[in-house]
Every structure is written in structure tokens, then in C-alpha cells.
């Protein structure tokens, strides 16, 4: 069974055709240019779908897109990176054109699915994936299926409250955006989160303090997730993690001191392994086999 | 099918026989007297099982007991309220005597099962039960089954970290033990948590501050659970909640301000409805039907 996966990002849209073994057969990519409206974006998607699957082999089309979105109805909601797309009935538009089942879920969740089934979580029974990039998102994969929660909002982990006294959510302290802000504040407007991590490695004390605070907050979030969900493994992805894999060890050490003693030997954090393509693979996995 | 449910508490042990419709047919109760050792407690359990089910109708025996315990092996571990019971192979001892399947799980989880199936969560698809008494514990019931997590430690929510800056776990601020401590500190050694709540109602400013802090911390914990799990409903039990049902409204209002906007209309907290017997019912529910 062939499947199409679509990854819609703030900058690029990517479309790929996968065979039954999730081998990538064909791919296409175009700029999203969200600010130019949905009509042009939809035309580009139609073209790319046609291009990767000219003979219409695919049984269905899966899409990962930035949230918030209405997965059941297949509608883009208030995605901050897709200005002007609010209310865009993406699923309906693609179904009308191709007449195949279309599935839509947020980008962190499709990446979770891919990492759980083919990436760093392969072979694990339950995987909590967390992505730390512009924001902090995640997806919980249980027995090979995404756990979406009763209202479809499970794993919106960026809004976990880890610091009542400081008034901070996980995302407010741990996102790439928060690190970028701190880097600019300390080192000037042209600097990025990367400069902050370099300064911390060179023992710049304020930068060290910010990275230390990041580790403290993220460890608190991981600990709370362990206490609630007890996943077999955490897979951590997104630009902040992928560019700083050394953080994994620091987080593991810290979390081990925070969880209940009975859980200490079970703390298992791994770096995501599929890189940028996780979203494409995971989107294709949304297409269910029809038995 | 008949089932036996056993609830082992720090003070009392209760045993009941249930019919297929979970009607309580017979019950027995004796003092635990944990400090007198496990042999006398086991004899009492044997007597009570014999007493409620003299003709051995029951297909199996379910037990709820204070954690931590090893559910898979059926062993009591370091339960602070059961001194001297460490390593007690409860499941094996009862199986040897009666030759029926025996199931052991922690008391918060069996109460969760009962509240989800027969109590305040009846008819709901996913229920997060939280009990606030001596400690803070919980159980997540998904499609009628307890979700235990990969290592059997899901829903140990007392150790969620909600206050990095203040250095507090949920249990450290929100348990009955924490409230009792504050009450004694403010009003004298003979006072209880109840006096603290009365003083707060009478606008004693320090007491008000402590209750406010309790609401703030507990709301943070609930919010994080919503963001991770997105349950259909929370059922809140345990002495602190059952004696102060007015807290439900305060918690609901607060949590609604903390969750992502898309979740605001879905915040649903209810008071547990089975009272003290939740543990007995839930223990019986551990006994699986043999099809």
C-alpha cells in the first residue's frame, strides 16, 4: 500500500510518496509563502501530490501541520506561523481534488509517530516524543498509535506548569524562542540560541545560568510526565535538542534525582534520529490500512 | 461471576464479596494493627475471606494496598503506613491458601477504577482520578482499564514538580499531611487540617494564604495533567477533597485560566462519589472475567 505524507511548515511544504515499507519513493518541496494566502499554497500542494504520485497509487494522504488545528474536521486554526490560514479546510480541499482519505494532525504528533515507529523509539512499547524548537510540543505513542486524549489535545506539553512561583510554563522557559530572546538580550540583536550555548560552554556565567535554568525546568517537565504517564522512553527532537545532543546526559542525570526512587533506574532519554524528515514519514503513517 | 475485594489500610482491613453486578453481598472488617506484624494480619484476612465467601463462590480476589508495591509480583514494598511489611508476598500467601487468582494494586488506583466505572466518572471514556489525603495519588482509567504505564508507575502524581522555584512537588504542598502541618504551626498541636479550612473561611489571613497556595499548586498540577493526558474528566477524592467539596469550583475556575484556550471549555472536575468504599469496589474490579 502506497501512502502520501505532507509536511507543512512555516517556510517549506514537502510532499512524499512512500511504499508499504515506508521507503521514500518520490519527494517534492516548495516554499509555503503563507502570507500570500491559502489558494496559492493549495495549488502548490496539488502540483506536488500530482508530481510524486502521477498514477494515483496512494491509498490516502496524511498531513502534519502547525497547531492549533482541528484534527477531526481537518481545519487549520490559529497557527501563529501560518498567518491568514485560520479556518482553512485543508482536509476537505485535498479530498475534493483527489478523492482519497485525508488525515491531518499537528506536526509534533506526526514526528512523534515517525520517531516511535522508525526512529529513536523503534521497538519501544510507549514513546513520549518532545520537540524543542520555536515552541515545545510533543506526542505520546502507545502500542503504535498516537494517544490523542479525549478532546484531541493530549501532549500539548508546552503549557505544562513547572514553576508556579516563577509563573512559567515549560514553553516560556524552554523553547528555542525563549533561548533566542535571552541570547539577544545578553549578546546583541544578531545573536541566536547557538551563541548562548557556545557562551555557556565557555563559562560565561549568565549564559551558564540560563542553560542551567533550562535544564532545571525541562527536567521538571520530564519528571512530571514520568509520574503521570510512565513511558518506556522519551525521544527528544527539535532544533534545540538536535544541535545540543550533550543536553541529553544532563537531563537524564537531573531527572534521576527528581523522580521517585522506584523509577530512577527506568529514566531513558534518547535523541530523535530521523531529523527533518520525521514529519514527512509520520504524516504518511496517519493513513490507515484498510483491511 | 462473584469477586472478592480487599482494602488494606493503615488502620483497617476490609473484605467484601460482590456479585456480577458489583452489588456488595457480604462484608467484614478488622483492625490492621500493622505494627504487630504480617502473620496476624494474614490470619485476619484468611478469616474474613472465609467469612464473606464460605462456599468459595468467588472467581478471584483483588486487593488494594498502600504503595509503593510491586503489583506484578504482588509484594508490599516500603509502604510508610505498614511498618514491618516490607517484602511481604501478599499475593502468593493468599493464592496458596485459596487457590484462586489474586491481584494487587495500590489503593489510589483501585479507587480510580471504582470511581471511573461506578462512581463520579461512570459513563466517561477517560477518567483521571486524584486522591488527596495523607498523600496525593491517582489512577488513570482509559476505556475501562487502568493505565499503569510501562513500568507500572503511571499516575504517581504526588511527585509531579509544579514549583521549580519553590522547590515543591504536588504532594509537598497539597497533601493532607502538608495542611495538617500548617494547621498545627498556626493554631497549635491539637489542630487538624479542618481547623485550617475553617480559619480560612473566617478570613484568617495566613490560613487564607495557605488555602490559596494549595489552590494555586493543585491547579498547576491539574493543568499539567490536562496538557499531557487530556482526560474527559477529573474525579477528585480523598479526605481533603471530600470534606471540602467547595474547592472543586475554585479549582475549576483557576484551571480554566491556565490551560490553552482551546481546552478552556473542556475542564471538568467532579467530586468522588463512592466515599470510603471505593477501594473495596475497585479491588474487586481487578479480578478479570475469564472468557
Amino acid at each position: 500500500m502506497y501512502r502520501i505524507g505532507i509536511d507543512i511548515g512555516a517556510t517549506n511544504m514537502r510532499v512524499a510518496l512512500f511504499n508499504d515499507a515506508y521507503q521514500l519513493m518520490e519527494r517534492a518541496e516548495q516554499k509555503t509563502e503563507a502570507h500570500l494566502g491559502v489558494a496559492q499554497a493549495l495549488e502548490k500542494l496539488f502540483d506536488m501530490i500530482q508530481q510524486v504520485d502521477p498514477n494515483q497509487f496512494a491509498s490516502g494522504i496524511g498531513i502534519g501541520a502547525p497547531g492549533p488545528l482541528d484534527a477531526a474536521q481537518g481545519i487549520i486554526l490559529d497557527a501563529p506561523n501560518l498567518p491568514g490560514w485560520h479556518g482553512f479546510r485543508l482536509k476537505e480541499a485535498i479530498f475534493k481534488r483527489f478523492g482519497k482519505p485525508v488525515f491531518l494532525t499537528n506536526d509534533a504528533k506526526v514526528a512523534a509517530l515517525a520517531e516511535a515507529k522508525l526512529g529513536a523509539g523503534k521497538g519501544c512499547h510507549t514513546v513520549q516524543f518532545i520537540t524543542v524548537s520555536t515552541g515545545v510540543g510533543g506526542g505520546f505513542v502507545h502500542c503504535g498509535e498516537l494517544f490523542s486524549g479525549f478532546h484531541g489535545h493530549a501532549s500539548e506539553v508546552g503549557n505544562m506548569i513547572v514553576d508556579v512561583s516563577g509563573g512559567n510554563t515549560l514553553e516560556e522557559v524552554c523553547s528555542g524562542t525563549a533561548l533566542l530572546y535571552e541570547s539577544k538580550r545578553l549578546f546583541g540583536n544578531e545573536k541566536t540560541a547557538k551563541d548562548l550555548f557556545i557562551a555557556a560552554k565557555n563559562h560565561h556565567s549568565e549564559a551558564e545560568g540560563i542553560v542551567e535554568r533550562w535544564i532545571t525546568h525541562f527536567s521538571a517537565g520530564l519528571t512530571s510526565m514520568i509520574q503521570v504517564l510512565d513511558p518506556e522512553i522519551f525521544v527528544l527532537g527539535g532544533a534545540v535538542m538536535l544541535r545540543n545532543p550533550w543536553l541529553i546526559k544532563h537531563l537524564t542525570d537531573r531527572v534521576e534525582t527528581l523522580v521517585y526512587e522506584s523509577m530512577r533506574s527506568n529514566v531513558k532519554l534518547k535523541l530523535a534520529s530521523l531529523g527533518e524528515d520525521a514529519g514527512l514519514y509520520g504524516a504518511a503513517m496517519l493513513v490507515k490500512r484498510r483491511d
Side-chain angles (χ1 to χ4, degrees), chain A residues 165-204:
Chain A
S165 298
N168 291 119
T169 64
L170 190 59
E171 184 160 278
E172 279 164 354
V173 180
C174 293
S175 65
T177 307
L179 294 170
L180 179 64
Y181 173 85
E182 294 291 351
S183 187
K184 287 183 189 305
R185 185 178 65 80
L186 285 181
F187 305 114
N189 245 331
E190 74 290 0
K191 298 298 184 180
T192 68
K194 189 179 170 186
D195 300 293
L196 184 79
F197 282 109
I198 291 170
K201 285 222 155 178
N202 292 328
H203 304 294
H204 181 288

Side-chain angles (χ1 to χ4, degrees), chain A residues 56-127:
Chain A
Q56 304 244 11
F57 283 154
S59 304
I61 299 171
I63 310 171
L69 46 76
D70 180 334
Q73 303 290 318
I75 303 172
I76 302 287
L77 297 176
D78 301 302
N81 295 327
L82 298 176
W85 287 38
H86 179 76
F88 179 25
R89 307 181 77 84
L90 182 55
K91 178 171 153 176
E92 192 180 297
I94 293 184
F95 176 74
K96 272 196 181 154
R97 174 71 174 72
F98 293 96
K100 298 171 197 272
V102 180
F103 306 86
L104 174 70
T105 293
N106 89 42
D107 42 13
K109 286 189 180 156
V110 296
L113 204 51
E115 288 290 346
K117 290 196 173 185
L118 292 177
K122 191 176 170 181
C124 293
H125 186 258
T126 58
V127 176

